[in-house]
Amino acid sequence: MSGHELPFEKRVDRNTMHSFFEYHGFDEELEEEYYRFLYDFVLERMEKDNGLKAAFGPTFQHYPHGQHHGEDFHLHGHKWAVRTADLGNFIGKTAYLAMSDEDKQEFTRRHEEKVAELGKKAEQKPKEETDDIPGFRHT
């Protein structure tokens, strides 16, 4: 998965995000840091777009955002993959559509820099290999 497929031009799902995190060797702490980067990006976009802020601002008053912001009751330890997919799809369906090409290019650049930064952190603390295939089920 190249850096150019994400910033969410296409729909992403929890399995896509899990694979993205695994590919980059992100542990739970780095997954949350990646999520926070996207969350802060949305808040930044809202400051530049009053319509976006009026429509969605109230749903971003609490961190983390989204339908899976609460307990990790059925996510089997993969909460950041699920939350990031939720947030990424919000970006793709709303904020991203209203962005200029220049803003999209800037976001892509910042995204690639963040992934590289987190990748360096991941190299400093290699993640334990597991045979875990996430079972995203409502149980």
Side-chain angles (χ1 to χ4, degrees), residues 2 24 32 80 107 130:
S2 77
H24 291 288
E32 182 178 5
W80 294 112
F107 177 52
T130 67

Side-chain angles (χ1 to χ4, degrees), residues 60-73:
F60 280 88
Q61 290 180 346
H62 302 286
Y63 176 89
H65 166 269
Q67 63 178 329
H68 294 101
H69 68 279
E71 294 301 312
D72 190 14
F73 70 99

